[in-house]
Amino acid sequence: MTDPATPQQQVSPANPVRGLPLHDLDGFTHRWVDADGIRLHAVEGGSATGPAVVLLAGFPQTWQAWRKVMPRLADRFRVIAIDLPGQGHSERPERSYDTHTVAAHVHAAVEALGVRHYWLAAHDIGAWVAFSLALDVERPLHGVVLLDAGIPGITLPQTIPTDAAGAWKTWHFAFHLVPDLPETLLSGRERDYVGWFLRTKALSPGTFDEADIDHYAAALAADGGLRAALAYYRDAADSARKNHQALSRQHLTVPVLGISSSHGSIPDMAASLSPWADTVTGVVVPDAGHFIPDEQPAAVAAAIAGFIAAGGDTDPSDGRPLRSGRVEITS
């Protein structure tokens, strides 16, 4: 929760990515914070006295991946969606994008907003960062929700499938690692590339409209956004190494909720995470592909709210205590 006495001189309206249009969300405010030397963009609203929930998005999205979930949480929680370094309206630094380095910036941004303790929910590459953040700064965290993501060095496959049925989900990991070639092929074609991901990996091709694709493509093209997006993949080996170093000291002790979907990339997030965490609960959201917050926002908001309401030790479908397991949500 927010500490009213915490100074917030690090918070300002100074936008480091001025060429990218801002999109407002009713009841929420844009802020930029000095996060240990990088200016990060946060969109904040909801209950000023409720528990704080921090949301992180993945590739190729921005904070707007959570725009349908945020209003559903706002009546009970202080909701803060943060653009990762290089993402959306956050600064695109020329430095490491390994997830432990990025996690330190995210945590610094949360602290700059006056939040001492919080819950963390993250999708895709955002979940990479959230996993590392939970390993590094467990004490301020009440619990972590991870949506449809393979974590570097933990659950991310080391090889790419060669069958057509599976390769389309992960082929881009190797492509993004190649020096220079992705920039050469994608510069000026960001909209085609982003559109393929959003339309192909969502269960319903109508999940994203033309305006959504325009926004995410523009964010990728603006001020080094493509370079930064690729850097998360290019630094994934460092992320994996640091994850293993942290896990050699201890497992995750904060409660973890793994959210999968009926047609996503990771069939059972809870099973994939359970060897690394003391308490893991799993939820499977029906009628969704990879972009679960966009496709089934009500189910995602309900799962997060139930997890928080029960202190992270719950079956999100009905609030009963559950130390570990997997739950199917019915629509």
Side-chain angles (χ1 to χ4, degrees):
M1 293 179 62
T2 304
D3 178 1
T6 300
Q8 298 188 32
Q9 293 93 337
Q10 295 170 292
V11 181
S12 80
N15 179 3
V17 191
R18 296 186 179 275
L20 182 66
L22 278 173
H23 296 271
D24 295 329
L25 184 64
D26 286 346
F28 290 83
T29 302
H30 295 279
R31 304 188 189 282
W32 284 265
V33 298
D34 182 353
D36 194 19
I38 297 177
R39 296 202 65 74
L40 295 188
H41 174 230
V43 182
E44 179 185 7
S47 171
T49 59
V53 182
V54 175
L55 307 171
L56 305 176
F59 179 85
Q61 296 185 283
T62 69
W63 73 270
Q64 283 200 266
W66 294 98
R67 71 194 185 282
K68 298 177 184 178
V69 175
M70 293 162 71
R72 291 175 161 91
L73 296 174
D75 60 335
R76 287 172 284 177
F77 308 107
R78 181 184 179 189
V79 182
I80 304 169
I82 296 178
D83 279 331
L84 298 173
Q87 190 181 67
H89 284 88
S90 286
E91 191 176 350
R92 288 96 154 88
E94 295 272 2
R95 59 179 71 181
S96 176
Y97 283 79
D98 80 82
T99 53
H100 287 260
T101 297
V102 172
H105 291 300
V106 170
H107 182 63
V110 176
E111 287 188 321
L113 290 167
V115 177
R116 288 187 173 181
H117 301 278
Y118 56 101
W119 300 80
L120 185 59
H123 174 241
D124 190 78
I125 286 177
W128 296 10
V129 175
F131 185 89
S132 297
L133 194 157
L135 287 171
D136 292 341
V137 292
E138 284 188 302
R139 188 174 298 276
L141 286 175
H142 293 302
V144 181
V145 182
L146 304 176
L147 290 84
D148 203 40
I151 309 298
I154 306 303
T155 60
L156 190 64
Q158 294 298 304
T159 59
I160 297 173
T162 56
D163 62 296
W168 66 273
K169 293 183 179 182
T170 56
W171 67 273
H172 61 288
F173 286 89
F175 175 58
H176 289 176
L177 287 171
V178 178
D180 301 325
L181 182 62
E183 291 91 332
T184 300
L185 297 179
L186 299 178
S187 295
R189 300 186 63 91
E190 292 88 354
R191 195 180 192 284
D192 293 332
Y193 198 57
V194 165
W196 182 88
F197 280 93
L198 298 181
R199 291 187 174 117
T200 304
K201 292 200 168 193
L203 180 59
S204 169
T207 298
F208 298 98
D209 61 22
E210 296 301 312
D212 294 328
I213 296 172
D214 286 342
H215 165 71
Y216 293 128
L220 199 64
D223 297 339
L226 177 58
R227 168 186 53 77
L230 296 172
Y232 282 94
Y233 295 88
R234 289 168 178 172
D235 288 347
D238 284 341
S239 302
R241 177 178 56 81
K242 291 182 179 181
N243 282 339
H244 280 292
Q245 287 175 345
L247 285 166
S248 69
R249 297 187 293 269
Q250 68 175 41
H251 281 192
L252 281 177
T253 59
V254 298
V256 177
L257 172 62
I259 299 183
S260 302
S261 66
S262 58
H263 294 76
S265 300
I266 310 296
D268 192 337
M269 283 290 294
S272 68
L273 294 166
S274 60
W276 314 101
D278 292 345
T279 305
V280 182
T281 302
V283 169
V284 181
V285 176
D287 303 320
H290 174 60
F291 298 103
I292 314 173
D294 296 278
E295 299 180 72
Q296 295 294 342
V300 170
I304 293 172
F307 183 64
I308 294 172
D313 189 16
T314 183
D315 171 342
S317 66
D318 62 10
R320 289 176 297 150
L322 180 68
R323 292 299 297 176
S324 62
R326 184 172 183 265
V327 178
E328 299 277 349
I329 293 180
T330 57
S331 25

